[in-house]
Amino acid sequence: MGLLSISRAKSPWLLHFDCGSCNGCDIEILAALTPLYDVERFGILNMGNPKHADVLLVTGPANWRNYRVLRNLYEQMPDPKAVIAVGTCGCTGGVFHNCPNIIGGIDKVIPVDVYVPGCAARPEAIIDAVVLALEKFKGYGK
Amino acid sequence: MTTAWLIISAVIAVIVAPLVGGLLKGIDRKLTAHMQGRIGPPILQPFYDVVKLLGKRRIAANGFQIAFAYAFLALIVTALVFFVLRQDLLVVLFILFFGSLCLPLGALSVKSPYSQFGGHRELLQFLAYEPILLLATIPIALKSRGFPVSNIFEYGQPLLPHLWLTFIALLVALAIVMRKSPFDISSSEHAHQEIVRGVITEYSGPYLALIELGHWYEMALLLSILGLFWVTGGLWWLSIIIGLGSWFIMLLVDNASARLNWSWMVKFAWSVGTSLIALNILFINLGWM
Amino acid sequence: MVLLPIVTGFICLLIKDHRARAGFVWLTAIVLIAGSIFFLSQGSFPAEYSPAAVWDFVVLAFNYVILAFFIFAAIKDIARRGLSPHNILALVLTLAAGIPLAIFEFSWAPHTPLEVIPTLYIDHLSMVMCLVISIIGSLICIYAIRYMKDHEEHRMHLGELKGTAQPRFFFLMLMFLGAMNGLVFANNLIWLAFFWEVTTLACWGLIRHDEVPAHIDNAFRALWMCLIGSVGFSLAIMYCWNSPLNTLSLATIIGGGAINCPILLVAFALLCLAGFTKAAQLPVHSWLLGAMVAPTPVSALLHSSTMVKAGVYLILRIAPGFQGTPLSTFVAVFGGVVFLVTALLAISQSEAKKVLAYSTIGNLGLIILCAGINTPLAMSAGIMLLIFHAISKGLLFLCVGAIEHYVWSRNIEDMEGLVRKQPVLTGITISAMLSMLVAPFGVLLAKWGAMEAAAGIGVWSTLVLILLMLGSGATTVFWAKWMGRFLCHTPAPGVATREPLIPLYHGVLLVLIAFAVIGSILVAPLYNGIVAPALSEMGYNPSLAFGTSTWFLKSSVGIFAAWPIFIIIGLALLVPVLSARPRVEELRAAYACGENVEIGADEFVAVADERSPLRTGGFYIENVLGERNLNRIIVPVGIALLVILFVVAAI
């Protein structure tokens, strides 16, 4: 593997977007970023800015109000990028599936690479998901 | 120092400086992590970051941003080259300032509220540290009887025992230039978010990598200027220790303090910086130093 | 050289036709430019010249005519608009200037009019000023042809103006050029005072050109503040006559020097006062700010390139006279204070011309600082700063004038994103600002020289250096802020079109920016050709200033490798400039939390899915650095400083 692939795998920068979540998964994501789990050892940094981010962590289902914002943020991220849907709501709509305002899971709006089920998803699962997403970077461009 | 040797050392400096800057940044993050009770990233992490950024697809908000990112890097490298060529210290600083100016100009060229805020705040940081850096050249020039860096080498005696007040003022300026707490007002390094990302909000991918490289060169240049305070007497390794020691002090201060506001930064820098340097000049006059 | 512009100005006053008047302006311009260059290359300096005695009569008579005209204008204004502080002060100060002069000339002087040999004394310093006046002044007048046409069309469109006032305008402008040439050539103090009055007259007339009440008030304010200087002149004349030297020849007075003849120190202080008021230093800086309401060519000519330069020219010329005295140190500190204060004030201004005005006052303070330091290195820095600042600042004023005629506003906030609509003009303006600010251009070179010259030991030089460097930081902030406002735009997909080029606007601007760049590259030959001879004629040793081997500027304490820096920076900037064109698919909108409407639209989606315009603005920090707050401190400080000036001189 070339230096570029290794670097991409070793330096994933996150953008965390709460799409419609009850904040349960968001709390777990923020817990993963604390020194207890220390994700910086993988080079993971939480950037608040799509232009700097490689990995988009989305919680909550997509609805008719915020799907536009979600797509806008996705398009402002430069390639290569990966999307991780965190929590059951992000995967399929979860508890809110078929509710009036809800479109469904995130994958109805943008392509998703890794799904993390759970309500709320555990921090260890979230870290595992990011590491799994790195596999996509390693193979990018081939 | 013959011309050929100077040119070779300039080329070496251009190649080695970013390596040193990146390594220092990596050690910075590792030490910070240990101070915070965690493990932290590998030391080579900044290099992985820069290579990854270089490999991203190019996007930009407008053409000026791209131009200013290149100009930032190019001018700081130029300043470093002039420094290694032992030119006039004030001229080196002026070229450095021109380069540093390109960063907020690029940010200000994008019509985004975060970028505008960040750009203006970067100008305020500039307002805080530029006078101190300029003023610090005066005691150095008084002692070495001239402004060119070559004079400091010819002077033959170490500067630090006479100019330690100026050195402290330069440490304050260094903290502001490196954008470390309590002065990380235009774009925070450790917290990674200050008005989104402040002055570098709109840069991405390869252009962000250029700016990161520029910051590494800038750090190498400033630590070298600090290292000038002890370059003679056969103890050349002492200047490296002084440079690294100052960097470590910055690290400690960064981890121990929180971010403060810009008006405090400007007032603090101006009052502390000018009074320390004025005292130093006064003591030189009186012959005490 | 002196008479021609006055004559053609008079003709312009009489001609009604626009084109013929323009033709005379061009004629004057070409003659002035050619004449000054010819004079420089042919003449041997210092040249002395004494015209026939009848001219002394003419000067004497016209001096009183002008003073009487001021009194008449003040009275007419009082009658028409009632008493105001400005016209009363103008009246009082005219009398204060005229009466001592009359007493001197009619009772003290052995015979009237007093003859001084030589009447005109021309050395390289005068030639520097002459070139600046003739070349830059002529270019500004050519620019003014088109500018005044647009200006009057605009005002007629707004219903403010009935008939054309251009004849009077060009008369005053051209007469002013002639008077300035006379001023820099004069050796007889009475002639100098006369030309000083003529420039004050032109200043007053041009500020009130638009005949709006606020402008008339500002004109009278300028008048009385400049008249303080004239009072200084009159008293200085009396002092010099009473001194052991017993002469009115400026060269003799300077040559005698304050070291040998301490009573002359008061005379020098009075002349410094005249220079300070003309150069709008503290505390009389408000007249220059008020004068910004005048049409832009006036601001460019009078208030940046030439008239205010007359003030610093006087101080530079008399600097050898008070070398080594406490007055000299004080002048340096005064210049430094002005530099710092105006730089801070400029950050808070959002009106473009006021920013330029503050910057001008600051740079004039810097030249005065150099004159105060009074070493060969400092004096050469001061002269070079004078040249380069005149070019760059005149250029900037003209750029702002052209911009004003496009956006019809002088507010920096209205100039946001101008780079998209007027790329050429914005490009020239930004280049001009860079030439004022960054290495390796001339203004920075002079600032570098001033810093190195000030690096002496001693308490006062430390203070001067602190003021200089703090001010330097502040100037960077406001220039960069303004440049950022120009560049702030949202690129829309599509090819950016160049604006239509207007020859009289863009042509002049391009010529001036070419001067700035070429002058900065060729700074070493420029120094050898003009500045070094000027130094030696003034009695300084140029070898103590700069040596210019291989086109570097090498002083005893520093090196400024001008052309290598240019080349290396040019190469360094080549890649950025060539790469500044992103492809369309690369463009992304600015980050707005995901609420952008689309690329190229300046809007974001706000409450209730409504499209809301995206607006940005600049930092002006009015509550700390605003005029209201700072002026309260500065004006008393300035008055105190002037009082100390005289106390220092008297002791």
Side-chain angles (χ1 to χ4, degrees), chain B residues 60-61 88 111 114 130 147 202 285, chain C residues 416 458 473 491 557 559 588 591:
Chain B
D88 193 309
K111 195 163 176 171
Y114 307 106
E130 182 195 358
F147 283 91
E202 298 294 334
N285 291 349
Chain C
E416 175 185 305
V557 290
I559 313 171
R588 292 286 189 281
Y591 176 64

Side-chain angles (χ1 to χ4, degrees), chain A residues 89-106:
Chain A
C89 296
C91 299
T92 58
V95 157
F96 306 106
H97 177 73
N98 265 348
C99 287
N101 195 32
I102 302 293
I103 301 177
I106 302 293

Side-chain angles (χ1 to χ4, degrees), chain A residues 33-108:
Chain A
L33 293 170
T34 57
L36 180 63
Y37 292 95
D38 190 20
V39 292
E40 202 185 345
R41 8 178 204 138
F42 304 117
I44 298 176
L45 291 176
N46 184 22
M47 300 289 174
N49 188 356
K51 301 197 175 184
H52 294 178
D54 309 301
V55 177
L56 181 58
L57 278 177
V58 191
T59 61
N63 61 46
W64 291 105
R65 173 61 178 90
N66 64 22
Y67 79 93
R68 208 182 356 91
V69 175
L70 181 58
R71 192 175 291 147
N72 188 319
L73 287 176
Y74 179 73
E75 276 158 12
Q76 283 198 356
M77 287 170 63
D79 286 326
K81 52 194 173 190
V83 180
I84 303 179
V86 177
T88 320
C89 296
C91 299
T92 58
V95 157
F96 306 106
H97 177 73
N98 265 348
C99 287
N101 195 32
I102 302 293
I103 301 177
I106 302 293
D107 52 9
K108 299 269 196 293

Side-chain angles (χ1 to χ4, degrees), chain B residues 58-61 63-64 67 70-71 74 78 88 91 98 108-109 111-112 114 116 120 123 126 130 135 147-148 202 285, chain C residues 416 419 448 452 457-458 473 476 485 487-489 491 557-559 572 576 579-580 586-588 590-591 593 602 614 619:
Chain B
R58 288 161 196 258
I59 64 171
F64 290 111
Y70 277 112
T78 310
D88 193 309
V91 171
F98 187 8
L108 286 175
S109 78
K111 195 163 176 171
S112 131
Y114 307 106
Q116 293 287 315
H120 281 105
L123 286 177
F126 195 78
E130 182 195 358
L135 272 174
F147 283 91
E202 298 294 334
N285 291 349
Chain C
E416 175 185 305
V419 70
W448 166 82
E452 301 216 333
I457 56 177
T476 315
R485 297 315 287 147
L487 294 172
C488 173
H489 69 289
V557 290
I559 313 171
S579 72
E586 283 181 7
L587 279 182
R588 292 286 189 281
Y591 176 64
C593 300
D602 252 352
L614 184 65
F619 276 20

Side-chain angles (χ1 to χ4, degrees), chain C residues 396-453:
Chain C
L396 272 172
F397 268 109
L398 296 183
C399 288
V400 168
I403 293 174
E404 186 192 342
H405 274 184
Y406 180 77
V407 277
W408 297 112
S409 156
R410 285 177 178 172
N411 196 335
I412 295 182
E413 292 303 311
D414 292 328
M415 299 181 194
E416 175 185 305
L418 202 63
V419 70
R420 198 146 163 80
K421 300 170 220 149
Q422 294 222 299
V424 175
L425 186 54
T426 316
I428 298 179
T429 314
I430 294 184
S431 311
M433 288 185 197
L434 284 177
S435 81
M436 290 264 333
L437 185 57
V438 295
F441 289 103
V443 176
L444 188 84
L445 172 63
K447 216 190 280 188
W448 166 82
M451 284 182 192
E452 301 216 333

Side-chain angles (χ1 to χ4, degrees), chain C residues 35-291:
Chain C
S36 57
I37 299 178
F38 179 71
F39 200 7
L40 178 65
S41 56
Q42 291 295 98
S44 62
F45 296 100
E48 302 182 355
Y49 177 66
S50 301
V54 63
W55 288 109
D56 284 316
F57 265 118
V58 168
V59 164
L60 186 70
F62 270 102
N63 205 351
Y64 289 106
V65 165
I66 293 181
L67 288 174
F69 176 74
F70 286 154
I71 297 180
F72 166 68
I75 295 180
K76 191 168 106 174
D77 191 66
I78 294 177
R80 190 187 293 180
R81 298 194 309 130
L83 294 176
S84 89
H86 300 304
N87 43 31
I88 295 180
L89 275 167
L91 189 59
V92 165
L93 283 170
T94 315
L95 290 170
I99 293 180
L101 197 62
I103 296 177
F104 170 75
E105 286 190 349
F106 294 115
S107 59
W108 284 20
H111 50 272
T112 309
L114 193 59
E115 270 188 8
V116 173
I117 309 288
T119 316
L120 300 179
Y121 175 82
I122 305 169
D123 67 351
H124 272 96
L125 182 62
S126 312
M127 281 316 294
V128 164
M129 284 298 294
C130 178
L131 282 173
V132 165
I133 297 163
S134 306
I135 300 180
I136 301 180
S138 308
L139 285 171
I140 295 176
C141 285
I142 295 176
Y143 172 97
I145 298 175
R146 173 65 196 253
Y147 183 92
M148 289 313 286
K149 175 163 156 300
D150 287 343
H151 183 74
E152 297 205 328
E153 268 174 26
H154 181 65
R155 291 194 71 215
M156 286 192 199
H157 183 69
L158 290 178
E160 292 170 0
L161 190 64
K162 300 297 182 308
T164 179
Q166 284 190 46
R168 188 184 65 200
F169 181 83
F170 282 105
F171 163 60
L172 286 170
M173 294 277 273
L174 293 176
M175 176 182 80
F176 169 76
L177 285 181
M180 278 298 298
N181 272 333
L183 201 155
V184 300
F185 291 156
N187 191 34
N188 184 343
L189 271 179
I190 298 186
W191 281 50
L192 192 62
F194 165 64
F195 285 119
W196 202 268
E197 299 298 333
V198 176
T199 59
T200 311
L201 170 68
C203 178
W204 175 84
L206 286 168
I207 294 178
R208 65 189 296 279
H209 175 79
D210 279 342
E211 308 252 357
V212 170
H215 297 190
I216 300 183
D217 252 349
N218 281 327
F220 274 105
R221 183 196 311 197
L223 184 58
W224 70 258
M225 287 186 175
C226 288
L227 280 173
I228 299 179
S230 303
V231 170
F233 251 114
S234 307
L235 293 176
I237 291 178
M238 294 171 78
Y239 240 95
C240 289
W241 188 253
N242 264 347
S243 71
L245 287 180
N246 204 10
T247 173
L248 287 185
S249 157
L250 198 57
T252 323
I253 296 173
I254 298 172
I259 303 279
N260 306 331
C261 188
I263 196 174
L264 279 182
L265 209 53
V266 178
F268 284 132
L270 285 166
L271 288 174
C272 279
L273 176 67
F276 287 166
T277 56
K278 183 69 79 172
Q281 304 292 294
L282 267 42
V284 293
H285 60 290
S286 47
W287 80 252
L288 191 61
L289 293 161

